[in-house]
Each structure stands twice: as C-alpha cells, then as structure tokens.
C-alpha cells in the first residue's frame, strides 16, 4: 500500500514539474502612453501578453496614485519619467521604477494636482489607468450613460456640473470621499429636516449618522465643543454634515467606511507632529556616500539641480573636476533619487545632420524671323545702266553672320532691275541649365549652425586723376551661399528647424569693365520634420515672355509682303525655378537615449 502511495506522489510531482505549462520569463512592458481625452486622463501600459497583474492605491497625503505591476520587465527607455504639467488635466508627473525589494515588479507613481478618483481598465495586452481631471467626472459620465442616479443631478446645468464635485453614486463610501475632498461639492444624500437649538455637534452628528447609516468617531476635543443651533429644511444629509463640520471648525478624515472627526486645531497639530516625526526619522537615518561619474552633462549645472534634493543640514554634494564626478553624501532614499536623476540627465546631447539641396533650373527660348536691313533695289526704265540683255552680277549666300542663320540674295542687274539686295534672318535658340547646390552641416540639439560659401568676381573700374592720368582699380562682387539652422528635437522624436538660407548668383559676363548682374534669394522659416524625412521649405518660379516689333500700319500685317514693312519677328521666353529641400537626421539616437537599445 505504501508503494502505491509513493508512486502516486511521484506521478503528481512529475505532472506538476513537467506537464504543467511553466512561465519561462516575465512579461515585458513595451510602452507607457499618456493621453488626455476631454476631462479624463489615460495612462496606457502596453505589454507583450495579457498575463500582467495590476493593482493600485492612492496616497492622499502626497496626492499620488501608485500602480503596481507584478512580474514585469521593462527597459530604461520605457520607464523614463515624463512631465505632463503642461496639460490642463489632473496629472502632473509620471515615473516608473523597479519596486524596492522586488526586482521583478514595477511601480508607477502618478503625481496629481489634487486628489481625484481613478480606475483600472483591462484590455487585450493593455492596462489603462483612467484618472479624473476634476472630482466628479466619472459621475457625470455615468449620468450621461443613463445610470440610476441620473434624476438626482438632473437639476444641474452643464456649466455648473463642470465646476462641482459630484459623487458617482449614493453609496456611503463614495459620499464620504466627496466630503473629504477639496473643492465645491454636489450633495446627493437622503434629504432630512432639522430644527435644533443649543445642541452639541456630537449629538447632531449622531442624528445624521443614524439617518445615513455610516459609522462616525469624534475625538474627545470634538465632543467638548460648545453647542450650536441650526434650522435645515429638506436638504441632503451629507450637506447637513458638511455644514456642521464647517460651523464647528471640525475636520473629517475618511478611513474606509468610518469617518473620523477632529478639531481643526488638533488636526494642524497632528500634521506638525507628523512632520516633526519624519524630520526626526531623517535625522537618525545613517548617511551613505556614493560617487557618480558624469560623462556628458555639465557638472556645475547638474550639481545645482541635485542640491535641491539634498537632506536639509545633513546632505552634501561635492564635485571633483579632475575626474568629472559628483560625490553625494546623504540618506539612501536621496541617493536613490539622485541616481535616477543622473541616469536621466547624463546622456549624450543629440546631434543633428542637416542636408539641404538647392536646385535651380532655367530655360531660355528665342526666335528671329525677318529681313535684315530690309529690301533694296533700283529700277532703270530706259536700260541705260548697262548693256542690253540680262547681263550683270548675281550672288546667293546662306552663310551665318553674327550668330544668325542668313539667307541672302544679291542681283547686280536683271532686265531693268538693278542692285537688288536683301538678307533674310532665320534664327532659333534654346538653352537649358540646371544647378544643384548641396550644403550640409552638423550641430547639437538647440545649437545654431552656420555654413557659408563665397563666390568672388572682380571688374575693372577706370578712374581719371587730376593730373590727367587714368588708373585702373578692381572692385569685388560677392555671391554667397549661406545656411543657418537651429534644430530642436521634440519628445516624439520629430525635429523642429529654424532655418535662414541665402543663395546669391552672378550672371556670366565677358566684359571685365562692367559689373555682373546679381540675383539674391533668401528664405527664413520654421518647420517641423520627422527624423530622416525631406521637406520643401521654399521655392521660386518665374516665367517671362517678351515680344516686340514695329512697322507701317496695315502694310506690316499683309502676309509675306508685310515683312518688307516691319521689323523682325523676335519672341523670347524664359523660365526660372528655384526649389530648396531640407533633410534633418539624428545621428546618435541610441547614445542620446532617444531609442531603445535592447
């Protein structure tokens, strides 16, 4: 029988250790995202699976919400703290860190502007912490969704509801939360009528407690307060209780379903004693010393920042310039804070490479059709200019002249026509040009960079002196290509650029005695670009068309023959286009802590 039991026991152990699925490794937290949706702020934790256990509790004294995530791993990049104080909601700061004495757990501290309610919502591979931006938002949301207490707040206008603290239900615990929170409140307790004269606050509170059904404890000093009188008709019991507390200068503190009432004076003394106790504890806590080598941050600036976290009159932060290190002597809690701050701030400054391309395209097209110097001829009616017959000279030419294609005809004598001469211009010209400039510059985040290229040209100037002599001097013409840019990297990884660009050019010229024509172009702008993306920051497009001719009215418009009575047909078209491209790229993302190295 014992052998059978032993075999059964071994079978169970084999099943437990080998057949049951075992968890190989902890869940991994991929990201922490913060969004504000109307009057609700959401802190979203994203995991690689759906097995994460999450819990939360609230520290009202410090106005904090603490979220504990069990058996979770995350990189330093994911657990990086971020400031949300620029948002108008209730969340000010969020910090995730390894839970003390539990390396496999992560704790997230959410600093609030004021004590408000929160709730955890689970979704596939996600845990979402929903936080009110003011007390009562959850109540209003549920009311809009048609909850049972809708009729109780139906008399509140929409504008008023945004300013009041409204309990989410008529439960005792929720109403007590509303009483102990700061700000204006909306009371929804059962209505009562009270007409009391010279009654101690203790008795009034007892009557209210019997009506509401919750437990209340008064301190001895609160019980000894003088009697008061009040007459209240058909008001919620929670409002009556709040009124009694205010009239008697009492302070309520919630402990689960129990309300502890104390005098304001005693409450202040308790807070002071608690503060003194904390100070006394800190004074007795042993001091530790730790050296923090600083690699990238300015050691003087970092020392000033960390000095604000030192324990008063006990903590000390010194610097060693030779090794560029900070020596911190303080309590273990302060050293742990300093360690997190140093890890966050002592990172490489991001460096940005800005590549720009300046593309210039120009096209020119000209045409000339017409007679050059017109048509000339003579007429001899008697034929005395030479012998009879068609004798004389005759010539035909198609030689180009002055860059033009010339068709010419010259006849010395033909019958009675003498000295017939005309030259026909036929010219068509087309030119295209493309110039690409590509300045590049690298700089640190929030540091202005500048790159300049100069093109110099000289032209000769003649000056007549008083003695009659002529002197030649050379005058400088300068064309500048200049790029000034200041990058700023956003928290999302995009790059904000403040750009100032100048592009000058000089027209070609073969005459050294005249200055060359200048063209100056500048652009100043601010633009937001994704890392590695290309953006067009500016462009100039010009199109010029020109045509001019003159001649004898009416006669110049006659087909073919009109060429004899007008100037050449000479249209001219010119196109110019300038486009500026910018491509910023962060070249040390991993070293600067902008991407996850793992």
């Amino acid at each position: 029988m014992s052998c059978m039991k032993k075999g059964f026991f071994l079978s169970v152990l084999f099943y437990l250790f080998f057949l049951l699925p075992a968890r190989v490794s902890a869940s991994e937290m991929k990201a922490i995202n913060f969004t504000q949706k109307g009057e609700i702020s959401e802190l979203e934790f994203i995991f690689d699976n759906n097995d994460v256990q999450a819990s939360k509790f609230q520290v009202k004294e410090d106005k904090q919400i603490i979220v504990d995530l069990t058996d979770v791993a995350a990189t330093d990049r994911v657990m990086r703290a971020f400031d949300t104080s620029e948002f108008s909601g209730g969340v000010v700061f969020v910090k995730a860190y390894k839970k003390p004495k539990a390396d496999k757990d992560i704790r997230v501290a959410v600093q609030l502007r004021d004590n408000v309610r929160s709730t955890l919502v689970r979704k596939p591979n996600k845990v979402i912490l929903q936080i009110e931006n003011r007390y009562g938002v959850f109540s209003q949301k549920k009311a809009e969704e048609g909850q049972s207490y809708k009729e109780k707040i139906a008399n509140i206008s929409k504008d008023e509801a945004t300013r009041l603290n409204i309990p989410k239900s008529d439960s005792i615990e929720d109403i007590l939360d509303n009483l102990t929170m700061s700000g204006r409140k909306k009371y929804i307790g059962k209505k009562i009528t009270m007409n009391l004269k010279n009654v101690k606050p203790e008795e009034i509170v007892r009557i209210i407690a019997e009506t509401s059904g919750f437990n209340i404890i008064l301190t001895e000093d609160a019980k000894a307060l003088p009697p008061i009188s009040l007459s209240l008709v058909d008001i919620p019991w929670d409002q009556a209780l709040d009124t009694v507390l205010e009239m008697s200068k009492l302070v309520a503190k919630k402990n689960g379903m129990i309300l502890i009432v104390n005098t304001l004076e005693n409450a202040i003394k308790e807070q002071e004693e608690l503060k003194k106790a904390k100070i006394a504890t800190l004074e007795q806590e042993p001091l530790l010393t730790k050296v923090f080598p600083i690699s990238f941050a300015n050691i003087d600036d970092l020392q000033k920042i960390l000095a604000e976290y030192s324990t008063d009159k006990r903590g000390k932060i010194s610097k060693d310039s030779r090794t560029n290190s900070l020596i911190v002597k303080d309590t273990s809690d302060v050293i742990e804070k300093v360690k997190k701050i140093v890890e966050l701030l002592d990172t490489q400054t991001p460096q940005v490479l800005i590549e720009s391309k300046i593309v210039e395209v120009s096209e020119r097209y000209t045409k000339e059709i017409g007679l050059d110097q017109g048509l000339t001829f003579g007429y001899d009616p008697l034929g005395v200019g030479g012998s009879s017959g068609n004798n004389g000279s005759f010539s035909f030419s198609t030689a180009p002249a002055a860059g033009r294609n010339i068709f010419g005809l010259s006849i010395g004598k033909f019958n009675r026509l003498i000295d017939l001469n005309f030259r026909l211009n036929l010219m068509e010209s087309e030119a295209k040009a493309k110039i690409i400039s590509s300045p590049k510059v690298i700089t640190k985040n929030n540091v202005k960079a500048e790159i300049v290229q100069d093109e110099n040209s000289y032209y000769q100037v003649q000056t007549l002196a008083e003695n009659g002599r002529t002197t030649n001097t050379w005058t400088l013409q300068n064309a500048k290509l200049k790029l000034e840019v200041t990058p700023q990297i956003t928290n999302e990884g995009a790059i904000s650029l403040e750009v100032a660009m100048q592009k000058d050019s000089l027209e070609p010229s073969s005459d050294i005695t005249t200055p060359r024509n200048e063209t100056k172009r500048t652009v100043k702008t601010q633009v937001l670009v994704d890392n590695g993306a290309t953006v067009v920051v500016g462009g100039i497009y010009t199109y010029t068309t020109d045509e001019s001719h003159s001649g004898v009215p009416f006669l110049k418009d006659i087909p073919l023959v009109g060429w004899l009575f007008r100037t050449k047909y000479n249209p001219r078209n010119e196109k110019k286009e300038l486009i500026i491209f910018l491509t910023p790229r962060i070249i040390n993302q991993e070293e600067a802590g902008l991407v996850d190295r793992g």
Side-chain angles (χ1 to χ4, degrees):
M1 187 71 177
S2 59
C3 293
M4 293 178 63
K5 290 183 178 180
K6 186 175 181 181
F8 176 78
F9 180 75
L10 293 175
S11 299
V12 171
L13 289 179
F14 179 83
Y15 176 80
L16 291 175
F17 285 96
F18 296 99
L19 298 183
L20 284 179
R23 184 164 184 173
V24 178
S25 60
S27 301
E28 183 179 0
M29 184 162 58
K30 295 295 186 180
I32 302 177
N33 299 326
F34 176 81
T35 57
Q36 187 170 319
K37 300 179 180 179
E39 295 190 332
I40 294 178
S41 297
E42 290 190 353
L43 198 62
E44 182 183 59
F45 306 99
I46 302 176
F47 306 95
D48 60 350
N49 57 53
N50 202 31
D51 299 333
V52 177
Q53 299 297 323
S55 61
K56 75 173 182 70
F57 63 92
Q58 189 160 353
V59 184
K60 292 185 178 179
E61 292 81 4
D62 298 331
K63 296 181 181 179
Q64 287 186 349
I65 298 174
I66 305 299
V67 179
D68 285 336
L69 305 171
T70 305
D71 201 13
V72 175
T75 61
D76 294 338
R77 168 68 176 170
V78 173
M79 293 196 296
R80 185 174 60 176
F82 52 91
D83 187 357
T84 60
S85 58
E86 294 184 1
F87 292 89
S88 60
V91 181
V92 177
F93 191 80
V94 178
K95 172 60 180 175
Y97 55 92
K98 294 290 185 181
K99 189 176 178 181
K101 299 181 180 179
D103 294 338
K104 294 183 179 181
D105 297 344
I106 292 178
R107 172 166 287 180
V108 183
V110 183
Q111 186 66 48
L112 306 174
R113 283 193 170 89
D114 201 354
N115 283 316
V116 291
R117 293 170 299 185
S118 61
T119 182
L120 283 174
V121 179
R122 180 174 291 278
K123 293 185 179 181
N125 294 352
K126 292 181 182 179
V127 172
I128 301 175
L129 177 66
Q130 294 182 341
I131 306 168
E132 295 178 314
N133 290 336
R134 60 171 180 82
Y135 194 93
V137 171
F138 288 162
S139 311
Q140 183 179 356
K141 182 178 179 181
K142 289 186 177 180
E144 293 172 354
E145 295 172 354
Q147 298 297 321
S148 60
Y149 61 91
K150 181 176 181 181
E151 296 178 357
K152 299 182 180 180
I153 59 171
N155 58 340
I156 308 174
S157 67
K158 184 176 181 181
D159 293 337
E160 184 182 4
T162 59
R163 301 191 301 268
L164 301 183
N165 291 337
I166 305 173
K168 62 184 178 182
S169 68
D170 54 1
S171 69
I172 299 298
E173 187 173 357
D174 184 65
I175 291 177
L176 297 186
D177 269 333
N178 189 46
L179 287 173
T180 55
M181 293 291 182
S182 59
R184 295 183 60 193
K185 308 176 181 70
K186 176 62 183 178
Y187 306 99
I188 63 172
K190 182 180 178 181
K191 293 185 178 181
I192 62 175
T193 299
M194 304 180 69
N195 189 2
L196 304 173
K197 186 175 182 180
N198 293 330
V199 180
K200 285 191 173 184
E202 178 187 6
E203 295 298 326
I204 300 175
V205 172
R206 182 181 59 81
I207 296 172
I208 296 174
E210 292 177 354
T211 302
S212 61
F214 70 89
N215 299 313
I216 185 169
I217 298 175
L218 274 76
T219 63
E220 293 299 326
D221 292 335
K223 293 179 180 179
L225 290 175
I228 60 173
S229 300
L230 73 162
S231 179
L232 304 174
V233 179
D234 199 24
I235 64 168
W237 66 261
D238 48 348
Q239 185 177 5
L241 177 59
D242 213 7
T243 303
V244 173
L245 296 178
E246 186 175 353
M247 290 177 61
S248 301
K249 294 184 179 180
L250 296 172
V251 178
K253 185 171 74 171
K254 176 178 169 290
N255 184 11
M257 295 289 292
I258 301 174
L259 196 68
I260 302 174
V261 179
N262 197 358
T263 62
L264 178 61
E265 183 179 358
N266 286 347
I268 294 175
K269 289 181 180 179
E270 288 180 0
Q271 292 293 332
E272 291 178 352
E273 291 176 359
L274 183 61
K275 184 177 180 181
K276 291 178 181 179
K278 289 183 178 179
I279 295 175
T281 303
L282 291 176
E283 290 178 352
Q284 298 299 324
E285 188 174 353
L287 300 180
L288 304 177
T289 302
K290 186 173 178 61
V291 178
F292 294 94
I294 306 303
S295 301
F296 307 102
N298 184 289
I299 193 169
D300 294 325
D301 295 340
L302 194 58
Q303 185 183 21
K304 293 178 183 178
I305 294 173
L306 297 176
E308 300 178 2
Y309 299 89
S310 296
T311 303
D312 189 25
K313 297 180 181 180
R314 296 192 70 201
K316 183 179 180 181
I317 300 178
S318 306
K319 69 175 181 179
D320 179 41
S321 300
R322 186 182 67 85
T323 60
N324 204 49
S325 301
L326 290 176
I327 302 98
V328 181
K329 184 179 182 181
D330 217 309
T331 62
S332 59
D333 289 340
V334 173
I335 287 181
E336 189 65 26
K337 290 180 182 178
V338 170
K339 178 182 177 182
K340 290 181 171 60
I341 294 174
V342 170
E343 290 176 354
L344 186 65
L345 299 182
D346 188 30
T347 57
Q348 284 191 22
T349 302
Q351 297 188 89
V352 184
L353 172 66
I354 299 100
E355 300 179 79
S356 63
K357 286 194 184 310
I358 306 171
V359 181
E360 294 180 86
V361 179
S362 62
E363 295 183 10
R364 291 186 297 274
Y365 175 79
T366 58
K367 181 188 290 186
E368 287 187 11
I369 301 177
L371 294 176
D372 186 25
Q373 301 177 354
L375 174 66
T376 59
F377 64 93
Y379 181 72
D380 184 8
L382 300 178
V384 298
S387 60
S388 61
N390 294 332
N391 56 353
S393 62
F394 174 83
S395 66
F396 174 78
S397 173
T398 58
R404 295 173 174 80
N405 293 325
I406 304 297
F407 174 81
L409 181 64
S410 177
I411 299 177
K413 180 179 179 183
F414 183 76
N415 291 335
R416 297 186 183 277
L417 291 176
I418 58 175
D419 297 328
L420 176 62
N421 187 15
F422 73 89
R423 301 172 70 87
L424 178 63
N425 285 355
L426 296 174
M427 189 275 289
E428 185 176 25
S429 175
E430 183 176 1
K432 295 182 179 181
K434 184 176 182 180
I435 303 173
I436 299 179
S437 304
S438 183
K440 299 179 183 180
V441 66
I442 186 172
T443 182
K444 290 184 178 181
N445 186 32
N446 282 326
V447 177
K448 182 179 179 181
E450 178 179 317
I451 185 170
V452 181
Q453 175 185 339
D454 285 337
E455 178 186 354
N456 297 327
S457 176
Y458 296 87
Y459 62 93
Q460 193 178 67
V461 178
Q462 293 184 347
T463 305
L464 183 63
E466 294 181 356
N467 57 6
R469 291 184 177 182
T470 301
T471 59
N472 295 328
T473 59
W474 294 93
T475 302
L476 173 67
Q477 274 188 293
N478 179 264
K480 183 176 294 186
L481 173 60
K482 182 178 180 182
L483 173 64
E484 292 182 357
V485 60
T486 305
Q488 180 179 354
I489 301 173
T490 66
N491 291 329
E492 292 77 18
I495 305 172
S496 176
L497 298 176
E498 183 176 349
V499 183
M501 182 176 289
Q502 178 181 344
K503 177 66 172 71
D504 302 340
S505 60
L506 299 174
E507 296 292 336
S509 176
S510 58
D511 188 357
I512 63 172
T513 61
T514 58
R516 297 164 64 178
N517 294 331
E518 299 182 37
T519 302
K520 295 182 178 292
R521 306 179 185 92
T522 59
V523 60
K524 291 184 179 181
T525 185
Q526 288 184 338
V527 63
L528 184 65
V529 192
D530 290 334
N531 180 32
T534 301
V535 64
V536 180
V537 298
I540 300 174
Y541 177 80
T542 59
Y543 178 78
T544 305
T545 180
D546 182 20
E547 179 181 348
S548 63
H549 57 83
S550 60
V552 180
F554 305 113
L555 296 179
K556 68 181 180 62
D557 298 324
I558 299 175
L560 299 178
V561 181
W563 286 3
L564 302 175
F565 304 97
R566 67 185 181 201
T567 57
K568 294 185 292 293
Y569 172 64
N570 58 346
R572 181 173 61 89
N573 298 328
E574 185 173 2
K575 297 178 184 178
K576 289 184 178 181
E577 188 171 7
L578 172 70
I579 306 175
I580 302 172
F581 300 90
L582 280 181
T583 305
R585 185 175 288 104
I586 305 172
I587 62 175
N588 61 337
Q589 294 188 74
E590 292 187 3
E591 293 80 359
L594 299 178
V595 297
D596 186 7
R597 300 187 186 187

